[in-house]
Every structure is written in structure tokens, then in C-alpha cells.
Amino acid sequence: NAGNCLRSAKARELSQALGLQVSPEQVILSHSPLQLFSQFHQRCMLVAGQGPVEENAHDLGFKHVVTIEALRKAYPLLDMVDLSRRPKELPPPTTGFPTIEGVILFGEPVRWETSLQLITDVLLSNGNPGAELQDVPYPHLPVLACNMDLLWMAEAKMPRFGHGSFLLCLESIYKKVTGRELKYEALIGKPSPVTYRYAQYLIQQQAEKQGWKAPIRRLYAVGDNPMSDIYGANLYNNYLKSAQHNQVQAGLKRGPQAASPQAEISLELRNECNNSVESCESILVCTGVYRHNGNVPKETETGTEETVFHGHRDFCFDPSLVEASYVVQDVDDAVQLAFKKENWS
């Protein structure tokens, strides 16, 4: 689900770790499906996150991008939280800076206060943060967000804030300032069904390149986070089941997912994927966010146990979707399980 690296860099990392050649075409990151959103590729887009965000945007097809740092330098009076970065003298008016036509949120930034402030400025000014509008524009500029994990597991004993936490901050600030909901043109990455559909498309491409004749019947999704990895895999499994009964549109409306153009993209991908896939099996590993006995917090004050939902605001919660098909110790066990299920062992 990483959004802070290039597919080529991740392919090299995987090749070294696995001891076999992995090509960029075999890698899908949280932002990879943005290649499908060609209607935005010619617009001037503000990109936020860390790592090679500008290069990532160009790699996905976006022709005109502006980084948070470039915006901050063009409008030095916007970033006022850090006193050491405030200009000592009043700068001249900014001229010639392009009007921003949309926002891409790749992942959590380093300076949250700067990104939260400037992204809000862009939305409130309709892409001209140097201007002063009498009315707040609404609907606001298109926002495309990747990677919705509220938490992720690193070397610390407790999970760390993920991009989902940053999105929560941005949504709360926008709602508090304007009284209106922040709307997303698309939410990409786990647990969005469009991401799993895109992954299926890439898997089938690889199978064709390998000359496989037998159709792929089952997908296996391995992850350590019940609220994103398992939730997304089970949600996509429901999507596949609906597709088998020629009720894709009805299934999308019933399913607990964001109502946005990402559903239309998923339907477009249906034409690119064959219909042989019957299920998506979710495999939960115990080497990350998930821990045996008590990794998922509970609320018991009402007398009934309810799982605390860490998913994004635009995804309705269904407790059954965080129940994995299988629970194993680590990724190696997950791979061996898939081999056994496919009679490859």
C-alpha cells in the first residue's frame, strides 16, 4: 500500500529480497490505479505526500503537477505555523503561478501542519491560494486520495499513524471551517474494490505472459491489517460473487464502499478482465498490525461487543468483512497455504 516510492524501485527491492527477477509490471502500489483516471492527466494537480511524489505523478500519466513545497515557496505567507519559516519581510505579490485544478494525496506528508494548511487553502480558493474569494466554492476541486490505512506497523511496539489519520485531519478541518463535507473524486488503495480489480487485471496479464492456459479461479490477498487488507479482500470477494450473478451494479450499490467515480472505473476494468475469477480469499498474518488475542479494540459499555472501525469515513462498516478466511503466522505460511489450496505443494 506504499505511496512513497516508484514501482521500479519497489521491483528492485523485491528482486533483491526474493532472489528472483521482479518487473515493475508485477508491482501494484496504492496509487497505481490512478493511471486509469486519464480525465485528470492534463490538469494542473497539487501533489502531497513524501518520496518522489512528482516523479510518481508523471509516471502515472499526470502532465502538470505542483508539489506542496513549490506552492509554499510561491506563496510564503501561507505557511505560518513554524515561526522559523515565516518571511522576515513582506514578499512581493506572486505572479505567473498556475491555477491548481485538483489535488492528489499520495500518502502522509512529513510536515502535516504545512500540508493541511496549504491543501485547505487550495480548496477554499478554487486553486488560487493568493486570491480572496467572497464565497467558499462548493463542490470543491477534485480530490484523489491513495492509501487509507489509519494505522500501520513499524518497529515501535504500537501501530503508527498512517495516511488515513492524515485524511481524517483534513476532513475534520474542512468540515469545521466550511460546515460541509470534504468529497473525494476517488479513494484508491486498500480496501477500495477498484484496487483489487486493477490487481486482478495485472495478475491476468502476467498469467498470459507466462503462457498459462488454465483460467485463474481464485485470488489470495495476504495482509496484517483486518481493517484494510482483510476488509478490502472480503469486499472484493462480495463484488466477485455479485458479478457471477450478473448483478455488478446492484452489488456495488449494496456494498459498503464509497459512492464515487471509482465504481465506474471498476466497471470499466470489468471489460479488461476475464470473468474466470470466482473468489478472493483473505489471509491474515500475525506479523504486523494484527496480533492474536486483542489486536482489535472493543467497546463493551453498551453490553454488546462491537469492533471499533478503523476504516475510512466513506466505507460503511460490516463486521463480517474483517473476518479473514484464514489466519496464519507469517507471509511464508500464507504462500504455503495458497500452494496447498491450489494443489501446488
Side-chain angles (χ1 to χ4, degrees), residues 145-164:
C146 313
N147 195 339
M148 294 165 274
D149 282 8
L150 184 76
L151 303 171
W152 67 286
M153 200 67 193
E155 289 74 24
K157 299 298 183 182
M158 293 184 290
R160 303 293 84 196
F161 292 155
H163 193 217

Side-chain angles (χ1 to χ4, degrees), residues 25-77:
E25 291 73 26
Q26 293 173 279
V27 175
I28 179 170
L29 301 173
S30 60
H31 52 256
S32 297
L34 287 178
Q35 296 178 82
L36 303 172
F37 290 79
S38 56
Q39 67 270 36
F40 299 106
H41 288 175
Q42 298 298 329
R43 299 190 188 185
C44 181
M45 305 293 288
L46 175 67
V47 293
Q50 56 182 291
V53 290
E54 194 170 6
E55 193 174 353
N56 265 329
H58 288 311
D59 187 55
L60 292 167
F62 294 92
K63 306 301 183 184
H64 312 286
V65 296
V66 173
T67 64
I68 291 290
E69 186 60 23
L71 182 63
R72 190 187 73 82
K73 288 182 178 179
Y75 296 96
L77 296 180

Side-chain angles (χ1 to χ4, degrees), residues 107-303:
E108 60 271 22
V110 175
R111 286 179 171 265
W112 284 33
E113 78 284 357
T114 296
S115 292
L116 289 169
Q117 179 69 77
L118 270 61
I119 293 168
T120 302
D121 288 337
V122 165
L123 297 178
L124 297 181
S125 66
N126 208 31
N128 295 282
E132 183 178 356
L133 303 183
Q134 291 184 345
D135 299 313
V136 174
Y138 199 82
H140 53 70
L141 293 173
V143 178
L144 298 91
C146 313
N147 195 339
M148 294 165 274
D149 282 8
L150 184 76
L151 303 171
W152 67 286
M153 200 67 193
E155 289 74 24
K157 299 298 183 182
M158 293 184 290
R160 303 293 84 196
F161 292 155
H163 193 217
S165 295
F166 178 82
L167 297 179
L168 180 62
C169 293
L170 180 63
E171 294 155 10
S172 299
I173 291 171
Y174 186 86
K175 178 69 178 291
K176 196 71 173 178
V177 170
T178 68
R180 292 167 168 166
E181 296 286 350
L182 180 74
K183 301 292 185 181
Y184 294 95
E185 192 73 18
L187 288 165
I188 303 298
K190 296 174 293 185
S192 171
V194 67
T195 294
Y196 290 81
R197 192 63 168 169
Y198 186 69
Q200 178 187 333
Y201 170 59
L202 294 185
I203 289 170
Q204 290 175 332
Q205 277 190 327
Q206 290 299 314
E208 291 176 6
K209 288 181 180 180
Q210 297 293 332
W212 289 11
K213 302 300 182 183
I216 297 173
R217 298 297 184 191
R218 284 172 296 279
L219 302 176
Y220 295 89
V222 182
D224 72 322
N225 192 333
M227 295 293 179
S228 59
D229 304 327
I230 304 306
Y231 181 102
N234 290 337
L235 182 59
Y236 190 61
N237 186 59
N238 288 350
Y239 169 88
L240 291 171
K241 298 301 183 185
S242 296
Q244 290 172 30
H245 295 90
N246 298 318
Q247 296 176 341
V248 176
Q249 288 183 326
L252 286 170
K253 292 177 182 178
R254 282 199 307 272
Q257 66 186 73
S260 76
Q262 61 187 338
E264 298 175 10
I265 294 292
S266 189
L267 288 172
E268 290 176 13
L269 268 176
R270 178 183 58 175
N271 298 325
E272 301 293 335
C273 298
N274 66 52
N275 295 320
S276 63
V277 176
E278 299 173 351
S279 65
C280 181
E281 306 287 333
S282 57
I283 305 178
L284 181 61
V285 297
C286 307
T287 49
V289 172
Y290 177 75
R291 292 288 189 273
H292 283 305
N293 302 322
N295 83 291
V296 180
K298 302 286 185 179
E299 291 179 347
T300 57
E301 295 179 0
T302 60

